Each structure stands twice: as structure tokens, then as C-alpha cells.
Amino acid sequence: MELGGRTAVGIVFALVAVVGVVAAVTSGGVGTLTVERVDELPQGQGAVAFENLDPDQRATFEEAVTTDSPVEIPTESARNEFVDPGYVRYDGGIYRTTVSS
């Protein structure tokens, strides 16, 4: 069976796309989390309670708080609450969360 030129090019593009997706999924985090303690929430803003974060989010948040430096976020889903609302209530304080790519 011979492949035509268009078919071969299509297969190459499909393989490149699959390799790109696999590399993106296995390359690690989707960004970094930075936290900063604030005195109060801005008008009209809400905050997620630390207890309402999933276990991966809690671990990432605590690492960022204790090291006071950006921490890699392990998965795409782990970043959601850090982006919206963008504030976490933790240990009697309020922290602004910033996600960078």
C-alpha cells in the first residue's frame, strides 16, 4: 500500500500534534502561584476558604505561604480558585493569589 503525498503530510502533522499535546501534559505545571497577605478584601471581592481548596491546592498554597516565593502549580485544574476569586482566607488572614505562566 502506497501513501499519497497529501496523506503522508497529514500523518506527519497529526504526529506532531500528538507529540505537542503529550509534551504539554507531561512537562510539569501550568504556571506559578505567588501569594501576598493583604489587610482586607477589595470592595466587592470574595475569598475562598482554605478548607474548600482540594488537597493539591492546599499543599501548593501552603508551600507558597511558607517559602514566600513562587511555587509551581501541578495541574490546570489546581489553579482555578487561585485565579477566581483570587483571594484565599487562611489562618486568620487574607491572601491575594497571583498565577503567572
Side-chain angles (χ1 to χ4, degrees), residues 19-49:
V19 168
V21 168
V22 169
V25 169
T26 60
S27 67
V30 296
T32 56
L33 172 68
T34 305
V35 298
E36 173 188 4
R37 189 173 179 135
V38 296
D39 293 330
E40 59 186 43
L41 286 170
Q43 184 71 26
Q45 290 290 333
V48 65

Side-chain angles (χ1 to χ4, degrees), residues 8-22:
V9 169
I11 290 171
V12 169
F13 279 120
L15 287 172
V16 168
V18 168
V19 168
V21 168
V22 169

Side-chain angles (χ1 to χ4, degrees), residues 4-82:
R6 294 175 100 179
T7 303
V9 169
I11 290 171
V12 169
F13 279 120
L15 287 172
V16 168
V18 168
V19 168
V21 168
V22 169
V25 169
T26 60
S27 67
V30 296
T32 56
L33 172 68
T34 305
V35 298
E36 173 188 4
R37 189 173 179 135
V38 296
D39 293 330
E40 59 186 43
L41 286 170
Q43 184 71 26
Q45 290 290 333
V48 65
F50 175 79
E51 297 78 22
N52 290 338
L53 298 174
D54 71 35
D56 287 339
Q57 291 170 322
R58 288 193 298 263
T60 301
F61 181 85
E62 284 187 313
E63 183 179 345
V65 168
T66 57
T67 63
D68 199 30
S69 58
V71 174
E72 188 173 278
I73 300 172
T75 65
E76 179 71 33
S77 63
R79 69 184 285 176
N80 296 342
E81 283 77 10
F82 298 138

